Amino acid sequence: MADLTTEFLGIKSPNPFWLASAPPTDKEYNVRRAFEAGWGGVVWKTLGSEGPPVVNVNGPRYGAIYGADRRLLGLNNIELITDRPLQTNLEEITRVKQDYPDRALIVSLMVPCDEESWKAILPMVEATGADGIELNFGCPHGMAERGMGSAVGQVPEYIQMVTEWCKQYYSKPVIVKLTPNITDIRNPARAAFAGNADAVSLINTINSITSVDLDALAPQPTIDGKGTHGGYCGPAVKPIALNMVAEIARDPATAGKPISAIGGVTTWRDAAEFMVMGAGNVQVCTAAMTYGFKVVQEMISGLSQWMDEKGYAATSDFIGQAVPNVTDWQYLNLNYVAKAKIDQDACIKCGRCYAACEDTSHQAIWMKEGRVFEVNDAECVACNLCVDVCPVEECISMVPMAPGAVDPRTGKVVEAGYANWTTHPNNPAAQAAE
Amino acid sequence: MANGHQASGIVAARLPAADIADNFSDLHPAYAPHEAAVAADRCYFCYDAPCMTACPTDIDIPQFIREIQAGHPESAARTILGQNILGGMCARVCPTETLCEEVCVRETAEGKPVEIGRLQRYATDALMAKGEHPFTRAEPTGKRVAVVGAGPAGLSCAHRLAMLGHDVTVCEARKKPGGLNEFGIAAYKSTNDFAAREADWLLKIGGITLETGKALGDGVTLDGLKADHDAVFLSIGLGGVNALRASGEDLPGVRDAVDFIEELRQADDLAALPVGRNVVVIGGGMTAVDAAVQSKLLGAENVTIAYRRSRDAMPASRFEQDLAASRGVKLMFNVMPVAILGDGAVTGVELEYTTVEEGRVRGTGERLTLAADQLFKAIGQTLDGAPDGVALEGGKIAVTGAGRTSVAGVWAGGDCASGGDDLTVTAVAEGRDAAMDIHAALTS
Ligand SMILES: Cc1cc2nc3c(=O)[nH]c(=O)nc-3n(C[C@H](O)[C@H](O)[C@H](O)COP(=O)(O)OP(=O)(O)OC[C@H]3O[C@@H](n4cnc5c(N)ncnc54)[C@H](O)[C@@H]3O)c2cc1C
Ligand SMILES: Cc1cc2nc3c(=O)[nH]c(=O)nc-3n(C[C@H](O)[C@H](O)[C@H](O)COP(=O)(O)O)c2cc1C
Ligand code: SF4
Ligand code: SF4
Ligand code: SF4
C-alpha cells in the first residue's frame, strides 16, 4: 500500500486530506470525530477578534443545486465565521492538538485590517500549539461588508500587508486563503508570496444565488421574504478551482510555491487531479457536509490504489506532474488533427451525438438506415461535443490522424511537426518561422 | 372463515377478503414524486426517439418525460393526452414490453428500459387528480356523427370529433361505457374503478351524448344511423367467442374466459366470486393469462394454462407469461384439448401433445389428463353483429386508410376492424385517426 503521509510546509499529516475551515471544523466535538474518522488535518473554523462573536441568521443558511436523484452538486451558504467566543475556541484547539499530535491543525483567522488586531490575536493562537494559520481573505458575504474576508482578498496590497504582519508576529507557517471572486487569481497569489506567505490555499466560495423561489419571488435560501448572495462550493466549483490552482502553479512568479487546493473535492480522483496540478494537499468541506466524515475513507483507499497502480511510493512523486502540460491556447499544436469515431458495438443508437452535431455543430454525423450513426470525416472538426453528450462512456473516441494522411475536411496533408498560432499564416501578429 | 385452496368444486371466499384485496392491488403501483424524478432522469431524450415510433399513438415520449423532469407532470399529461386521450388507461394496460419499452435504447443497452408506462401514469394521474379536462371544443360545425360502441376506439373517436366541433352520439349496448377497459382488462391493471372515472373525465369535453343500453341491430340500424348523421363510426369490438370443438364443451364448469373476467370486473365483492380448485385455461393470449392469474389470485389451488403451440408462438408476451408463472400459474405448451371429461359437471380435461409442422398444429397421439373443476375457454374472440352490407375481411370489418369501410360515410376501428393489433392503444389510435378522416371528409 502506498504511503499517503504528506508533508506540507513541514507539517506532517497521515494523508493529504484536510477538512477546510467551515462547519465541519467548528468545534472540538467535530474535530475529534473527524480525526477519529481518519482526516489527516483540519483548518479550524475561522476565528475573529476577541469580544462579542458574530451572529448568524436563524433562518436557512444553505441553498443547493442538484443532479439526477437529488445528488447534491453545488451548495451555497450565507454563514459567517465562528459565532462562538474566541477563548472557547482557543481552549478547544489547545486540547485537540495535544491529543492528536500526528494530525495537522491549522487555525483560520479573520480580524479587521489593522496591525493592532493581528498583533493581538496572533500570540494567543501561537499559544495553542496549532501547526499554522490560514488567513481567510475569501469569505464573500457578511464579513466582506465589514471590510474583511474577500474585501481584503480582492486588494493585493492588503493581502501583502496583512501577510507581512502575520509573518512578523507569528512564528509558524502562514497560509493565505484566496477568494475566487476576482478576475485574475495570479495577482493575489503573487501578493501573498511577496508578503512572505508560506503557501496559498484556494478557493474559498464563489459569489452566487442558487435559485429563486418563484412563489415568493425571492432568492433562496429565503429569510423572511428576502435573500442574499452567498458562497458557492461543492462539485460544481471544482473546474474553476482547478484552473485557478493551475494558473498559480504555472505562473513564473509563483511556480513551485506550496498550494493547498480546495473546491469540490469529493473523491480520491478530485484530490489526485488537484495534486498533479500542483497542490501539496487538498481541503474538503462540502463532501463532508453532504456525506459525513466517513467520506475520507474512500479518498484514502482510492488514492492509495491509484498510487499503487501508477507505482508512486509517496505523494511527492506526483505532486505538480501535470503542470508542464498546462499551456496557453496559442501554444497548442495546430498540426494535430483528430476525428471522432463511433464504436458501433458500444453505440445504443440514442442519436444524441447526431442532434448535437447536426443542430449545433458541424453537421458531421450521418444518421443512416436503421439508426446507424457514423462520423463524416470530411466535416468533423474534432470538437468533442459528441463525446461529451454520448451517454455511453468510451463509445465515441477522438482518433488522431497519422502524419502523412490527408484530412478529408481540409484536403491538407497532416504534418508531423509542431506548429502553433504564433506562427500561423492567418495570425496577423505571426512571427515568421525561423 | 375462508374456504381455503383445497375446498373442492367452484366456491367463493377461498381466501380471507384482505388477502384478496391485496392480491388485486395495482400491478404497477403509482410512482411517488421522487421515484418519478429518478425514473424520468434515466431518459436520454433520444433524437427521433425509437420509443415514440413504437407507440401506436405516437406520443412524444422524450418530450413528456422531460416535462416531468422539469417539474410539470400536468404539461406532460397534455403532451400525452393530445395524442392519446386514454393515455391514463394505456399507461396501465399497454404491453409496454412489446411496444415503447421494448425499443427504448436503455432496454437494448442494459436490459432496463426507461419505465415509460409508469411515467405516463404519473403524468396523467397528476392531471386527472386536478379534476380538470385539458381540452376545449372548437366552434360548432353543425355536423352530427354516430359512434357505435363505447370502448377505447369509440371513446377516442368521439372525443376527437367533439373537440373538432362536431356533435357526437355514442350508442353503447351495455349499461356502462368503457368496453373492455371496463369489462375485460385485468382487475389489477385498472384499480379503483379507473375505467369508469376515465370515461367520465373524457366526456367532460362536452358535445358527446352517450346512450347506453342501446345496441345496433336491436332497434337501431345502420341505415337509420346514416340517415340521422353525417357519418358513422363502428367500434363494436369482438363480441363473440370461438368454440373449442371438443366433446364435453357444454358441461357445467366450462365457461368463456371473457364472461368470467367480466363478472369479476363487475363484482362488488371479489370474495363472493366463486372459483374452482383445479382451473384449466385453454388458450395463449392475454385473455388466457388474465383468467388464469385472476383465478389464482382468488385462491384456486392449481391453475394451468394449456396452449397448443410453443412458448415462442404464444401471443401473451414474455412479461405476461412470467407474471402468470410468478403468481403460481403453470404454463403448458404444445398441448391441445381433445375431450372435456365429466358427468354432470366438468372433472377434467384430456389433452394431446402437439407438434407444429409448416404452421399447422398436429396431435402426436400422446395424451394426458388434468383434473379440472373449472375450465375457461380463451381461444379468441370473434366479430359478432356486424351490420349487413358492410364488407368483411378475415372475419373483421374490412377497412382501408383511416378506417374507411366499404360503405360510404361509414368508418370502423378497434378490434372489430381489419388490420392492427387487438390492443387498447391500437383501438385508441384507430379511433383518433378515423375521427381526423371523418373531420376531413365533413369539412372539405
Ligand atoms: C380479457 C382481456 C384482457 C385484455 N388485456 C389487455 C391489456 O392488458 N392491454 C391491452 O392493450 N389490451 C388488452 N386487451 C385488448 C383490448 O381490451 C381491446 O383491444 C380493446 O378494448 C379494443 O377496443 P374496442 O373499442 O375496439 O372494443 P371493445 O373494448 O370491445 O369495445 C366495444 C364496445 O362496443 C359495444 N358494442 C358491441 N356491440 C355493440 C352493438 N351492436 N351496439 C352497440 N354497442 C356495441 C360493447 O359493449 C363495447 O362497449 C384485452 C382484451 C381482453 C378480452
Ligand atoms: C457553510 C460554510 C461555511 C464556511 N465557512 C468558512 C469559514 O469560516 N472560513 C473559510 O475560510 N472558509 C469557509 N468556507 C469555505 C470552505 O472552507 C471551502 O473553501 C469551500 O467550501 C470550498 O470547498 P468545498 O467545495 O470542498 O466545499 C465555508 C463553506 C461553507 C459551505
Ligand atoms: S441539519 Fe440539523 S440544524 Fe440544520 S436544519 Fe436540519 S436539523 Fe436543523
Ligand atoms: S450519442 Fe453515443 S450512443 Fe448515442 S447514437 Fe451517438 S454514438 Fe451512439
Ligand atoms: S428510447 Fe428510452 S431513453 Fe430514448 S427517448 Fe425513449 S424513453 Fe427516453
Side-chain angles (χ1 to χ4, degrees), chain A residues 4 8 35 51 117 124 138 156 192 224 249 255 257 261 296 304 308 311 313 373 378 418:
Chain A
L4 295 189
F8 187 71
F35 283 155
S117 302
M124 295 191 252
D224 194 22
K257 297 281 192 190
V296 73
S304 13
D308 288 345
F373 296 92
Y418 162 85

Side-chain angles (χ1 to χ4, degrees), chain A residues 46-366:
Chain A
T46 306
L47 311 184
S49 296
E50 205 151 16
V54 301
V55 295
N56 273 300
V57 293
N58 300 304
R61 320 178 179 178
Y62 309 127
I65 294 292
Y66 296 106
D69 207 354
R70 219 173 141 85
R71 178 176 289 257
L72 191 141
L73 298 181
L75 186 72
N76 155 295
N77 83 87
I78 54 167
E79 183 176 287
L80 304 183
I81 62 172
T82 186
D83 52 13
R84 303 181 325 134
L86 178 64
Q87 277 313 321
T88 313
N89 277 304
L90 293 172
E91 285 159 21
E92 292 183 4
I93 290 167
T94 311
R95 278 200 296 273
V96 172
K97 184 62 215 178
Q98 265 166 11
D99 290 353
Y100 293 92
D102 66 325
R103 308 300 170 96
L105 202 170
I106 308 294
V107 179
S108 172
L109 297 174
M110 183 196 288
V111 297
C113 207
D114 56 68
E115 194 170 354
E116 281 317 303
S117 302
W118 290 93
K119 208 174 156 180
I121 198 166
L122 288 166
M124 295 191 252
V125 174
E126 184 105 44
T128 63
D131 300 299
I133 56 171
E134 185 181 80
L135 313 186
N136 179 354
F137 291 158
C139 192
H141 47 262
M143 304 312 292
E145 293 144 27
R146 306 172 200 190
M148 292 181 268
S150 63
V152 180
Q154 285 163 344
V155 185
E157 292 75 18
Y158 292 171
I159 294 178
Q160 181 173 347
M161 179 177 75
V162 176
T163 309
E164 280 166 355
W165 294 332
C166 292
K167 286 306 285 181
Q168 189 181 342
Y169 300 116
Y170 182 72
S171 70
K172 289 184 179 173
V174 176
I175 305 168
V176 175
K177 184 167 180 177
L178 304 179
T179 175
N181 299 308
I182 187 158
T183 330
D184 187 344
I185 197 67
R186 291 174 302 180
N187 294 325
R190 286 172 191 158
F193 289 118
N196 281 321
D198 296 279
V200 291
S201 59
L202 70 160
I203 58 174
N204 208 312
T205 55
I206 305 175
N207 264 331
S208 64
I209 290 178
T210 39
S211 54
V212 178
D213 181 328
L214 289 178
D215 297 318
L217 296 177
Q220 287 176 314
T222 312
I223 290 141
D224 194 22
K226 302 268 191 257
T228 183
H229 64 87
Y232 200 41
C233 51
V237 310
K238 177 190 143 194
I240 297 164
L242 209 43
N243 173 54
M244 290 184 165
V245 167
E247 285 296 282
I248 295 169
R250 70 192 189 92
D251 176 9
T254 52
K257 297 281 192 190
I259 301 172
S260 180
I262 320 168
V265 175
T266 311
T267 69
W268 70 270
R269 176 179 289 275
D270 303 317
E273 290 178 19
F274 274 114
M275 290 172 79
V276 296
M277 208 53 111
N281 70 5
V282 293
Q283 297 183 29
V284 177
C285 168
T286 304
M289 289 184 70
T290 311
Y291 304 107
F293 289 142
K294 193 179 170 186
V295 271
V296 73
Q297 290 172 14
E298 182 285 322
M299 296 180 191
I300 291 169
S301 65
L303 193 68
S304 13
Q305 177 175 332
W306 174 73
M307 286 171 64
D308 288 345
E309 283 167 3
K310 293 286 178 190
Y312 296 127
T315 52
S316 51
D317 288 358
F318 59 85
I319 289 169
Q321 293 298 308
V323 179
N325 294 330
V326 187
T327 185
D328 293 340
W329 190 94
Q330 60 179 343
Y331 300 123
L332 295 172
N333 185 3
L334 294 175
N335 280 346
Y336 177 86
V337 181
K339 298 287 173 191
K341 191 161 172 25
I342 297 174
D343 175 349
Q344 294 299 335
D345 292 331
C347 172
I348 62 168
K349 304 184 187 301
C350 68
R352 268 165 65 159
C353 56
Y354 175 81
C357 192
E358 188 68 15
D359 289 1
T360 73
S361 286
H362 297 84
Q363 296 76 46
I365 294 181
W366 285 306

Side-chain angles (χ1 to χ4, degrees), chain B residues 141 143 145 157 160-161 164-166 230-231 402 404 411 431-444:
Chain B
T141 59
K143 303 285 184 187
V145 183
C157 183
R160 182 55 63 104
L161 288 167
L164 294 167
H166 308 295
D230 299 291
R404 294 180 179 221
W411 280 256
R432 176 199 70 191
D433 294 346
M436 296 309 293
D437 200 42
I438 291 169
H439 175 69
L442 296 188
T443 54
S444 65

Side-chain angles (χ1 to χ4, degrees), chain B residues 342-353:
Chain B
D343 185 11
V346 61
T347 55
V349 55
E350 189 174 5
L351 302 170
E352 180 174 1
Y353 283 100

